[in-house]
Amino acid sequence: LPTYGLTEATSQVATLSPRVWPEALHTCGRPLPFLRVEVRGPDGRALSPGEEGEIAVSGPTVSEGYFDEPGADRVASRRRWLLTGDIGTREETGRLIVLDRRVDRLVVGGENVSPAEVERALAEHPAIAEVCVVGVPAGAWGHEIAAAVTLRPDAHVTVEELREHAGRRLASFKVPRRFHVAITLPRNSAGKPLRGEIRSWFLSHVAKEDSA
């Protein structure tokens, strides 16, 4: 069952109920008992269903802060809301949809781009086994989208084919400008792609191109 949680909230925050499985597998379900979840805009205002913003969590399982780091916590002391740094939205039913980490969101020519949306589009290609999308700084344009992919056994695909595939599913500014076909993607102990390492790989190649 899809679940959303984080260490600062003592793990689980929302989980999809078995009663609605598999109807709402694109969501993380509703908040657990005694927890409140809001999706907030840049001004801190709680947003309406369907609007995207930062996920905030409140309840008895939410940490008051970080040990010995009084300036590091993002918990509002007056109301004890944890600002998670995750981007999401809520359905009219109250079920939570997690979209991205805020730090992973990209800006391309003034437009916000969700790495998860680009990853989903690329993952529909039959040759793709795994994909991770990151942003490479591109001056006034904000970011240039870069995608690292691994292929299924015995599969073959060209960069042009991947770009054409993405172009049929995404707006032109969301189509990756850079691709890298890897044997494996670096992952942490929890199995999540290490975006920082993948981003550093692309940055090193951009630097080599600029110095050539």
Side-chain angles (χ1 to χ4, degrees), residues 121-171:
L122 288 172
E124 292 178 2
H125 193 286
I128 299 299
E130 299 175 303
V131 57
C132 181
V133 169
V134 298
V136 177
W141 281 96
H143 293 99
E144 191 173 71
I145 301 175
V149 303
T150 65
L151 303 182
R152 298 185 186 279
D154 300 321
H156 300 280
V157 68
T158 66
V159 169
E160 290 73 20
E161 289 171 341
L162 288 177
R163 192 170 286 121
E164 181 181 349
H165 169 85
R168 293 196 296 267
R169 290 160 173 78
L170 300 167

Side-chain angles (χ1 to χ4, degrees), residues 70-84:
D73 67 85
R74 303 188 68 224
V75 181
S77 59
R78 184 168 63 87
R79 297 183 60 191
R80 289 197 59 199
W81 280 92
L82 173 68
L83 303 178
T84 66

Side-chain angles (χ1 to χ4, degrees), residues 84-139:
T84 66
D86 294 323
I87 301 298
T89 185
R90 298 186 73 181
E91 294 184 332
E92 292 285 354
T93 61
R95 290 192 284 260
L96 178 67
I97 300 174
V98 180
L99 300 171
D100 290 297
R101 288 288 297 167
R102 186 175 64 175
V103 295
D104 292 331
R105 285 237 146 169
L106 310 177
V107 177
V108 180
E111 298 284 352
N112 289 320
V113 178
S114 163
E117 180 186 4
V118 181
E119 289 168 353
R120 286 192 297 270
L122 288 172
E124 292 178 2
H125 193 286
I128 299 299
E130 299 175 303
V131 57
C132 181
V133 169
V134 298
V136 177

